[in-house]
């Protein structure tokens, strides 16, 4: 499996937007098929659900989170689970 990026897609309508956090293959289009859904973020309710074991798996395989997703992962302290040499992101 090729390494993937982590990104998010908007779900919902109008002001009720919820963002799905997914891992996608870097070779696919931005709106292409995702490899796995790894969480969601609801800014209106300030709720975040993250499948941490799955996120760690993709990060260890070389996935590069987007800036926004990286901020969510830092806030959730996901990076404390990784060794320091695995935290090099572009």
């Amino acid at each position: 499996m090729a390494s993937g990026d982590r990104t998010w897609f908007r779900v919902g309508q109008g002001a009720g937007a919820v963002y799905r956090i997914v891992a996608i293959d870097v070779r696919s289009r931005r709106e292409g098929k995702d490899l796995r859904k790894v969480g969601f973020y609801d800014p209106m309710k300030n709720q975040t659900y993250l499948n941490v074991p799955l996120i760690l798996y993709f990060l260890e395989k070389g996935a590069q989170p987007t800036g926004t997703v990286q901020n969510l992962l830092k806030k959730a302290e996901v990076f404390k689970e990784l060794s320091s040499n695995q935290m090099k992101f572009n």
Side-chain angles (χ1 to χ4, degrees):
M1 178 171 76
S3 63
D5 280 341
R6 186 161 338 289
T7 190
W8 59 350
F9 293 102
R10 183 180 174 158
V11 182
Q13 298 177 353
V18 175
Y19 297 91
R20 191 174 13 193
I21 302 169
V22 298
I24 61 170
D25 192 326
V26 294
R27 297 170 294 189
S28 69
R29 299 185 340 251
R30 180 182 167 278
E31 300 294 330
K33 184 177 179 187
D34 51 284
L35 296 174
R36 292 290 296 266
K37 293 172 183 65
V38 296
F40 72 86
Y41 172 60
D42 184 347
M44 298 298 284
K45 295 180 183 176
N46 198 23
Q47 288 182 327
T48 305
Y49 167 78
L50 301 170
N51 185 338
V52 176
L54 191 56
I55 290 170
L56 291 174
Y57 168 79
F58 280 111
L59 290 173
E60 289 169 355
K61 295 293 181 187
Q64 298 290 311
T66 61
T68 305
V69 173
Q70 188 170 349
N71 290 339
L72 289 172
L73 297 178
K74 282 182 186 175
K75 192 176 188 180
E77 300 181 345
V78 171
F79 294 120
K80 289 184 178 182
E81 304 286 328
L82 292 173
S83 63
S84 60
N85 63 344
Q86 293 175 330
M87 291 185 54
K88 297 175 184 165
F89 301 116
N90 294 333

